[in-house]
Amino acid sequence: MEQRVSANLEKLLRVFGDTRVQLATTALAASAITAGVMWGTRRTRRSKRARDLKRNTLESIDFEGDSGFLGIDNEPQNTIVTKHTPVELTPNEESLIREQLARHYAFLGADGMAKLRDSFVVVVGAGGVGSWAAMMLLRSGVQRIRIIDFDQVTLSSLNRHVAATRATVGISKVDALKMSFLDIAPHAQIDARVALFSADTASDLLSGSPDYVLDCIDNMDTKVDLLTFCNKNNLRVISAMGAGMKSDPSRVQIADISDTFEDPMSRVVRRRLKLLGIQSGVEVVYSTEKPGKVQLVSLAESQTEEPGDFSVLPDFRVRIVPVLGTMPA
């Protein structure tokens, strides 16, 4: 046994003692090191480019401009809407609206409809939840609506966004909604804000004495900022919790945040608000259905190394929660 080991060692020594083998081994090692350095450098540069692009995009977009990202000529020009923005109607137009809302008048009565039509509602988040909420407010008779969202309509929006069509892909969500709303109710005062809600912008975006604020945000930090601001400033708010991986509309409930159960998003929001001294007083829409076994959509192989580079904006989610389009609606 020892002789065999000794013989093998001698063979190895002879092989690696060969100058050609030494040169080949050195070349392979150098190539491997060079490839590693190049790969690491490219990954670092790619990450830096992604971070710089997101930062420059946020700095360059005119969130407060009159139109959306693309500046399409036929998009409606924006106006600032508040609780006191006048809605001017001719007698003929009022007659048309009465007919349009006849079933609501029969259900709510003249006093109820007067209150509804005189209200001003701010909807923060114009995705699968916010777009439908805003649409049904408009169809119910609300004449002053502010819609806030920074995002654009994409092909994936077509399964759940109320105003998403092939023609509106690439247009800001709020501008797509405004165009659709004015086709339904030309007299309505729609304030479409292409803006990213944050604690810093809250006082401006929620100005104008709204009767209600609808929280339809899916980013946890932003959602908590919105609810905290509304709580501290005595603004009535109702918050949409998670609809991802759920499919039973009969389990949807309306309750105070302190009474929620079986909903992961409600649990996280409840705990974070509690740390800020808010234990109740926040009305939410949530589902008691336990999330199904559907998993998050997997990342592409090219995204697994630095997943943060592929988020829409810094600190926003990368992996997508599967949503049955009809549930948020």
Side-chain angles (χ1 to χ4, degrees):
M1 184 66 179
E2 292 180 358
Q3 291 178 350
R4 185 179 299 174
V5 172
S6 298
N8 289 334
L9 288 173
E10 289 178 2
K11 289 180 181 179
L12 288 173
L13 290 173
R14 284 197 300 272
V15 170
F16 285 101
D18 191 323
T19 303
R20 289 174 298 178
V21 174
Q22 292 177 351
L23 290 173
T25 303
T26 301
L28 287 173
S31 298
I33 293 172
T34 301
V37 171
M38 291 177 63
W39 179 80
T41 301
R42 287 177 180 175
R43 185 174 67 173
T44 301
R45 288 177 177 174
R46 185 181 65 189
S47 297
K48 184 177 183 302
R49 285 198 301 269
R51 290 193 300 270
D52 291 344
L53 179 60
K54 291 174 186 177
R55 184 177 62 253
N56 293 337
T57 299
L58 285 174
E59 292 174 353
S60 62
I61 292 175
D62 179 15
F63 280 132
E64 301 302 326
D66 288 334
S67 61
F69 285 108
L70 302 183
I72 295 177
D73 292 338
N74 63 351
E75 290 184 5
Q77 295 298 301
N78 197 41
T79 55
I80 304 300
V81 176
T82 72
K83 171 70 174 176
H84 306 293
T85 299
V87 178
E88 299 178 356
L89 295 167
T90 66
N92 287 338
E93 289 172 326
E94 177 63 26
S95 178
L96 287 174
I97 294 169
R98 286 277 182 154
E99 178 64 25
Q100 185 173 331
L101 300 174
R103 298 189 183 189
H104 292 302
Y105 271 95
F107 194 91
L108 297 173
D111 291 342
M113 283 304 299
K115 185 176 181 180
L116 190 64
R117 290 180 62 181
D118 191 49
S119 62
F120 169 45
V121 181
V122 177
V123 181
V124 187
V129 176
S131 65
W132 282 95
M135 173 64 82
M136 296 318 297
L137 287 171
L138 178 87
R139 290 185 182 275
S140 296
V142 177
Q143 299 178 135
R144 301 172 185 85
I145 302 174
R146 180 180 299 158
I147 323 163
I148 302 165
D149 201 300
F150 71 92
D151 207 0
Q152 296 168 277
V153 177
T154 64
L155 284 173
S156 68
S157 303
L158 293 174
N159 86 321
R160 62 193 181 281
H161 193 279
V162 72
T165 65
R166 290 285 183 91
T168 59
V169 169
I171 298 175
S172 66
K173 290 179 177 179
V174 295
D175 283 334
L177 283 172
K178 183 169 184 175
M179 288 188 287
S180 179
F181 286 6
L182 293 180
D183 283 339
I184 298 167
H187 66 284
Q189 298 296 313
I190 309 299
D191 186 348
R193 303 282 186 99
V194 183
L196 178 64
F197 185 90
S198 68
D200 295 332
T201 60
S203 59
D204 175 51
L205 294 178
L206 301 182
S207 63
S209 303
D211 295 287
Y212 240 111
V213 176
L214 271 61
D215 162 33
C216 305
I217 302 171
D218 59 4
N219 177 266
M220 194 63 66
D221 292 338
T222 312
K223 179 178 286 288
V224 171
D225 285 342
L226 172 61
L227 296 177
T228 301
F229 182 90
C230 289
N231 182 269
K232 291 182 177 179
N233 290 274
N234 297 316
L235 292 176
R236 298 185 68 184
V237 62
I238 185 165
S239 178
M241 296 291 110
M245 298 184 284
K246 298 185 178 185
S247 59
D248 185 357
S250 69
R251 304 296 293 274
V252 176
Q253 311 285 326
I254 299 176
D256 189 89
I257 186 69
S258 61
D259 297 325
T260 56
F261 62 97
E262 296 289 8
D263 181 51
M265 179 177 282
S266 297
R267 181 170 59 252
V268 174
V269 172
R270 185 173 64 246
R271 290 175 177 174
R272 292 186 60 170
L273 289 175
K274 188 175 181 180
L275 292 174
L276 297 171
I278 303 171
Q279 299 192 40
S280 62
V282 176
E283 193 175 20
V284 301
V285 179
Y286 78 106
S287 172
T288 59
E289 178 186 2
K290 292 185 178 181
K293 295 182 179 180
V294 181
Q295 301 298 312
L296 294 176
V297 177
S298 299
L299 296 174
E301 185 176 349
S302 61
Q303 298 175 316
T304 56
E305 296 170 1
E306 297 290 343
D309 293 349
F310 297 91
S311 62
V312 178
L313 292 172
D315 301 322
F316 273 59
R317 68 186 184 192
V318 181
R319 299 182 68 187
I320 300 171
V321 179
V323 175
L324 186 63
T326 52
M327 273 299 289

